[in-house]
């Protein structure tokens, strides 16, 4: 492991992390409050969380919370009573979502138990014209050679809800400052996809989960994986992170799209069958919602990843947890902060936070010259990286 870079916090009012805690979280509380006919108890709890998150300090989970002991082990004892803005950004952001679920009664007894406060937003994405257009593009892609399909579907998984761009093959496009991909280890990743078990650690639900599922189907169908283990969140997290319920919604969206002979519907039916015979396996490990880097993963999860031919980490949050939510020098080799990982690991990510590793000096300099530091968080650049 390299010498650790500073942990990212939210204290600087001009920083991206500060804007998340000071602006995005309050706006989300209001959005969730308006999305459901919550009663007085839930509304009071949401109002209290809004005050705590903006002007107060971190408070412990309720005494009857089933996961209170787990969160204490994850750092709650040390952070209770402190300002949200002085804590590690990853921890503060993660704990906020756990407190939001507590406020709406997700874990408690009563009528709101198990009701995902983010579900309306996730479902809305599946029924957009853009989602339909992305799925329609599969019919044309199915006629292309398998190698071209692999490349297109990998790019689709990289870009998530801009997956329609990923279905357009970027032949001859190089990575770097002038590319949408600031780093591209796609060739190295494709070389690892030769069978065995692929762990696919999903990120978001809705339109971003669909490309992940299409990639999984392609790998199974063409022998690039004998088995795919899909890691999802055990409960709603970070607004749009995918749970098992979101997987079901996505599969139903695929199977009802177009005619029974459409490529999207065929993929959905194949995945449904693969789940039934064990070639597609779903995991929802508690550590998937931990406010900690994967370097601190428990032994059973480590064994899962060690047994895989390759683990594919999707999305920005998984990247932050994979390399550590630290202000690394962008030219720090990706293989250094991922050296602890128990097997080959690939990151497919659009850039939506400050964390970045693995850039060459010229690419970083050109990005900074053209955009300042906005390229880190704008979501307009992406990467494919492989390590350790």
């Amino acid at each position: 492991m390299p010498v650790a870079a500073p942990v990212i916090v939210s204290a600087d009012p001009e920083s991206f992390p500060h804007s998340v805690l000071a602006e995005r979280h309050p706006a989300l509380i209001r959005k969730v409050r308006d999305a459901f006919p919550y009663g007085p108890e839930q509304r009071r709890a949401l109002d209290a969380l809004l005050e705590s998150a903006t002007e107060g300090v971190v408070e412990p989970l309720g005494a009857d919370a089933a996961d209170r002991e787990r969160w204490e082990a994850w750092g709650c004892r040390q952070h209770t009573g402190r300002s949200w803005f002085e804590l590690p950004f990853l921890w503060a952001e993660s704990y906020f979502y756990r407190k939001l679920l507590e406020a709406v009664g997700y874990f408690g007894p009563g009528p709101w138990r198990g009701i995902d406060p983010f579900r309306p937003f996730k479902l809305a994405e599946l029924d957009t014209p853009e989602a339909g257009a992305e799925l329609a593009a599969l019919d044309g892609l199915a006629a292309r050679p398998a190698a071209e399909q692999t490349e297109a579907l990998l790019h689709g998984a990289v870009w998530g809800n801009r997956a329609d761009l990923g279905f357009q093959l970027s032949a001859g496009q190089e990575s770097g400052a002038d590319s949408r991909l600031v780093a591209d280890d796609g060739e190295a990743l494709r070389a690892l996809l030769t069978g065995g078990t692929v762990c696919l650690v999903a990120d978001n639900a809705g339109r971003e989960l669909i490309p992940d599922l299409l990639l999984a189907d392609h790998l199974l169908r063409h022998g690039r994986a004998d088995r795919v283990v899909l890691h999802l969140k055990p409960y709603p997290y970070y607004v749009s992170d995918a749970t098992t319920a979101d997987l079901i919604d996505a599969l139903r969206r695929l199977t009802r799209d177009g005619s029974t002979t459409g490529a999207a519907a065929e993929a959905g039916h194949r995945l449904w069958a693969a789940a039934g015979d064990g070639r597609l396996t779903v995991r929802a490990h508690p550590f998937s919602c931990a406010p900690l880097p994967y370097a601190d993963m428990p032994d059973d999860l480590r064994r899962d990843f060690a047994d895989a031919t390759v683990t594919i980490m999707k999305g920005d949050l998984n990247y932050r947890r994979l390399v550590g939510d630290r202000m690394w020098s962008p030219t720090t080799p990706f293989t250094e902060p991922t050296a602890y990982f128990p097997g080959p690991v690939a990151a497919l990510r659009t850039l939506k936070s400050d964390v970045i590793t693995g850039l060459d000096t010229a690419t970083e300099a050109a990005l900074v010259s053209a955009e300042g530091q906005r390229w880190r968080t704008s979501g307009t650049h992406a990467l494919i990286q492989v390590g350790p």
Side-chain angles (χ1 to χ4, degrees):
M1 288 286 289
V3 176
V7 172
I8 294 176
V9 295
S10 310
D12 181 358
E14 302 300 318
S15 69
F16 172 75
H18 189 279
S19 73
V20 171
L21 268 61
E23 300 169 18
R24 186 179 299 177
H25 286 180
L28 177 60
I29 292 173
R30 298 183 185 100
K31 187 175 181 180
V32 167
R33 196 177 190 274
D34 292 340
F36 289 88
Y38 288 126
E41 180 181 353
Q42 290 76 33
R43 291 178 176 274
R44 283 193 297 268
L46 287 169
D47 291 342
L49 178 60
L50 178 60
E51 182 178 357
S52 166
T54 54
E55 302 174 15
V57 297
V58 171
E59 298 177 358
L61 295 176
D64 57 348
D67 58 349
R68 179 177 174 133
E69 185 175 335
R70 179 183 298 147
W71 272 94
E72 287 179 348
W74 287 346
C76 203
R77 288 179 186 268
Q78 300 95 296
H79 297 321
T80 296
R82 300 173 63 191
S83 166
W84 293 83
F85 295 92
E86 67 184 38
L87 303 181
F89 178 44
L90 177 63
W91 198 96
E93 196 174 12
S94 299
Y95 191 62
F96 167 81
Y97 284 99
R98 177 58 185 84
K99 291 292 287 183
L100 179 58
L101 292 182
E102 181 180 62
V104 298
Y106 182 87
F107 292 109
W112 295 104
R113 183 179 181 88
I115 302 299
D116 183 349
F118 313 127
R119 191 158 190 259
F121 320 135
K122 297 173 181 177
L123 288 177
E125 280 200 357
L126 289 175
D127 286 323
T128 61
E130 292 82 2
E134 289 159 9
L135 294 180
L138 287 173
D139 291 334
L141 184 63
R144 306 293 290 273
E148 292 186 9
Q149 292 182 43
T150 303
E151 182 177 358
L153 290 168
L154 280 173
H155 282 248
V158 169
W159 286 103
N161 63 6
R162 296 175 61 193
D164 53 318
L165 300 177
F167 293 148
Q168 303 171 21
L169 295 181
S170 50
Q173 184 179 11
E174 298 180 353
S175 63
D178 295 328
S179 167
R180 292 181 293 116
L181 288 179
V182 297
D184 186 2
D185 293 340
E187 184 176 349
L189 174 54
R190 290 189 291 274
L192 291 170
L193 297 172
T194 57
T197 296
V198 172
C199 282
L200 177 56
V201 184
D203 185 35
N204 291 335
R207 286 175 62 203
E208 297 196 37
L209 183 57
I210 293 286
D212 297 348
L213 295 177
L214 295 174
L215 175 61
D217 170 65
H218 176 82
L219 298 179
L220 291 169
R221 187 184 182 197
H222 292 278
R224 288 184 168 270
D226 301 315
R227 177 170 172 258
V228 173
V229 180
L230 181 65
H231 285 257
L232 303 170
K233 299 298 191 294
Y235 52 79
Y237 195 59
Y238 276 66
V239 185
S240 55
D241 281 33
T243 65
T244 306
D246 300 318
L247 168 64
I248 295 168
D249 288 334
L251 287 175
R252 286 176 172 162
R253 177 66 177 89
L254 286 172
T255 55
R256 72 173 167 82
D257 191 75
S259 69
T260 55
T261 58
E266 291 174 358
H269 287 299
R270 284 193 299 267
L271 288 165
W272 203 283
D277 63 28
R279 288 177 298 124
L280 176 64
T281 304
V282 178
R283 294 272 194 273
H285 197 286
F287 192 78
S288 295
C289 292
L292 303 172
Y294 279 106
D296 296 335
M297 77 180 89
D299 290 342
D300 61 334
L301 187 57
R302 179 176 292 274
R303 286 192 295 271
D304 255 14
F305 294 149
D307 290 341
T309 304
V310 61
T311 296
I312 299 175
M313 292 279 184
K314 272 295 311 294
D316 196 75
L317 176 58
N318 280 322
Y319 189 89
R320 291 164 61 191
R321 297 185 68 198
L322 179 63
V323 304
D325 203 37
R326 296 173 176 272
M327 192 56 77
W328 298 108
S329 165
T331 57
T332 302
F334 176 72
T335 54
E336 291 186 8
T338 60
Y340 70 89
F341 206 81
V345 62
L348 307 183
R349 173 216 184 190
T350 54
L351 277 58
K352 299 177 183 176
S353 65
D354 289 314
V355 181
I356 186 69
T357 66
L359 300 191
D360 61 56
T361 303
T363 296
E364 183 202 4
L367 288 166
V368 172
S369 176
E371 304 179 38
Q373 297 299 328
R374 292 188 303 277
W375 60 272
R376 293 175 179 258
T377 59
S378 64
T380 56
H381 297 284
L383 57 78
I384 302 173
Q385 292 176 322
V386 173

